[in-house]
């Protein structure tokens, strides 16, 4: 053992160097604590970054999902609008101004159909703010479709209502004008019921029946009038022929004759010693002819001649 060490040994035998070692250990504790603290901070810092990364990723996913949902609503609204345009609106647009009570409804529908649809917006972005901006634009366009679908529906309804009003008005006029002019009165009863129900299809069918019945009666009336005129003409012709025949028979009937006998007396005696004789002379007189026939003088000619 060296002297130095021995000098540091206490009378009880403990070395003073042990105290030195203890002091050295005490001086290293703060350093260890500092290093440990730094390590903890580093771990916490790494965990915080990962947590922040997870949080921001979640927010981005939420924004993306919101944009997708907005896009789905947009496509639904756009589809309903297109269905309306190609369906009821297309049918109503074929109605002419002369088919409605108010022609302005036709013009209003035409203006509605001229509306320009918004462009489709894709739900694509790089960050949360981008998705939110796209979602807002998509929602705006979806709102356009909802608004215009409503106004288009109103325009279509206005045209259809105006057309029905005109149909009912025309049917009422037909019902009035056809009174007493149909071959079958039941057709007018059917039309009256359809008018009260304001059923356009029923009115159209009943109106056709009334018009057909009117045409049938008109044809029947014209045929009856034609026959009556023909019969009247035939009767007039027959009467005229009978009158002419009667007049002809009266003008050319057989002549009537009368005879007037005349007598001439003879003188008896003659210078020649002859005796005289007398005989009636018959002169036939014929009415209309002036000369008697052999039959006219038959009786007179056969009379005895006296001498």
């Amino acid at each position: 053992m060296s002297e130095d060490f021995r000098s540091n040994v206490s009378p009880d035998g403990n070395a003073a160097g042990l105290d030195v070692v203890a002091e050295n250990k005490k001086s290293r504790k703060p350093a260890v604590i500092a290093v440990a603290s730094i390590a903890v901070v580093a771990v916490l810092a790494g965990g915080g970054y990962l947590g922040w990364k997870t949080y921001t990723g979640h927010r981005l996913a939420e924004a993306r999902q919101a944009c997708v949902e907005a896009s789905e609503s947009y496509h639904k609204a756009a589809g309903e609008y297109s269905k309306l345009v190609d369906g009821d609106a297309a049918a109503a647009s074929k109605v002419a101004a002369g088919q409605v009570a108010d022609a302005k409804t036709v013009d209003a529908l035409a203006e509605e159909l001229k509306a320009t649809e918004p462009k489709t917006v894709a739900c694509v972005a790089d960050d949360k703010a981008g998705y939110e901006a796209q979602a807002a634009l998509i929602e705006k366009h979806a709102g356009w479709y909802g608004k215009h679908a409503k106004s288009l529906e109103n325009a279509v309804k206005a045209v259809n209502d105006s057309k029905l009003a005109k149909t009912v008005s025309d049917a009422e006029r037909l019902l009035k004008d056809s009174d007493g002019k149909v071959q079958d009165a039941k057709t007018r009863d059917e039309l009256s019921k359809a008018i009260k129900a304001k059923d356009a299809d029923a009115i159209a069918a009943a109106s056709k029946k009334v018009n057909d019945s009117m045409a049938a009666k008109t044809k029947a009336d014209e045929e009856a009038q034609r026959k009556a005129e023909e019969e009247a003409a035939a009767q007039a012709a027959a009467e005229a022929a009978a009158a002419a025949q009667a007049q002809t028979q009266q003008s050319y009937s057989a002549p009537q004759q009368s005879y007037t006998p005349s007598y001439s007396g003879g003188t008896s005696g003659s210078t020649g010693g002859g005796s005289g004789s007398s005989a009636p002379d018959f002169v036939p007189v014929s009415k209309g002819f002036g000369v008697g026939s052999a039959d006219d003088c038959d009786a007179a000619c056969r009379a005895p001649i006296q001498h």
Side-chain angles (χ1 to χ4, degrees):
M1 181 178 298
S2 64
E3 293 181 359
D4 293 334
F5 180 76
R6 285 195 300 268
S7 63
N8 290 325
V9 177
S10 61
D12 58 3
N14 291 329
L18 294 177
D19 295 333
V20 174
V21 173
E23 290 295 331
N24 290 336
K25 288 182 178 181
K26 290 181 180 180
S27 63
R28 286 198 300 268
K29 285 182 179 179
V32 172
I33 294 173
V35 171
S37 298
I38 293 173
V40 170
V41 170
V43 171
L44 293 176
Y49 174 79
L50 292 176
W52 175 83
K53 191 70 175 178
T54 302
Y55 174 75
T56 55
H58 177 70
R59 294 292 301 276
L60 181 64
E62 287 182 340
R64 184 188 300 110
Q65 183 61 30
C67 186
V68 170
E69 292 176 358
S71 182
E72 290 175 353
S73 298
Y74 162 83
H75 286 294
K76 181 179 179 181
E80 291 177 352
Y81 180 81
S82 297
K83 182 179 179 180
L84 176 60
V85 170
D86 297 334
D88 293 343
S93 66
K94 295 179 181 179
V95 177
Q99 296 178 277
V100 296
D102 184 2
K104 292 180 180 179
T105 58
V106 174
D107 296 336
L109 175 59
E111 287 298 321
E112 280 291 334
L113 290 173
K114 292 179 181 179
T116 302
E117 298 181 40
K119 295 181 179 180
T120 302
V121 178
C123 196
V124 178
D126 296 328
D127 54 20
K128 174 177 174 292
Y131 280 116
E132 290 176 345
Q134 292 296 88
L137 185 58
I138 291 172
E139 289 175 354
K140 179 180 178 182
H141 289 180
W144 184 96
Y145 280 111
K147 177 182 177 181
H148 281 76
K150 186 64 177 178
S151 60
L152 183 58
E153 285 177 353
N154 292 336
V156 170
K157 184 177 183 300
V159 170
N160 291 335
D161 289 348
S162 187
K163 181 181 179 182
L164 178 59
K166 178 74 163 49
T167 299
V168 171
S169 177
D170 291 345
E172 289 175 341
R173 186 180 302 108
L174 175 61
L175 184 64
K176 180 180 179 181
D177 295 342
S178 63
D179 188 13
K181 299 179 182 179
V182 293
Q183 193 173 42
D184 184 3
K186 292 181 180 179
T187 58
R188 297 184 70 254
D189 295 336
E190 185 177 344
L191 179 59
S192 178
K193 292 179 181 178
I195 291 173
K196 291 179 180 179
K198 292 185 177 181
D199 186 334
D201 294 335
I203 289 174
S207 295
K208 184 179 184 303
K209 290 180 181 180
V210 170
N211 286 324
D212 291 345
S213 186
M214 289 178 67
K217 187 175 188 307
T218 299
K219 183 178 180 180
D221 291 345
E222 290 175 350
E223 183 66 17
Q225 183 178 359
R226 183 183 65 80
K227 288 183 178 181
E229 290 175 352
E230 288 178 353
E231 291 175 357
Q235 183 177 356
E239 292 175 353
Q245 184 177 3
Q247 185 176 3
T248 301
Q249 289 176 351
Q250 183 178 3
S251 300
Y252 294 97
S253 60
Q256 297 179 355
Q257 300 175 345
S258 63
Y259 302 94
T260 304
S262 62
Y263 299 91
S264 59
T267 57
S268 62
S270 61
T271 56
S275 61
S277 65
S278 65
D281 296 328
F282 291 89
V283 180
V285 179
S286 175
K287 291 183 179 181
F289 293 93
V291 178
S293 64
D295 294 335
D296 294 332
C297 66
D298 185 60
C301 292
R302 289 196 299 272
I305 301 174
Q306 299 178 359
H307 296 280

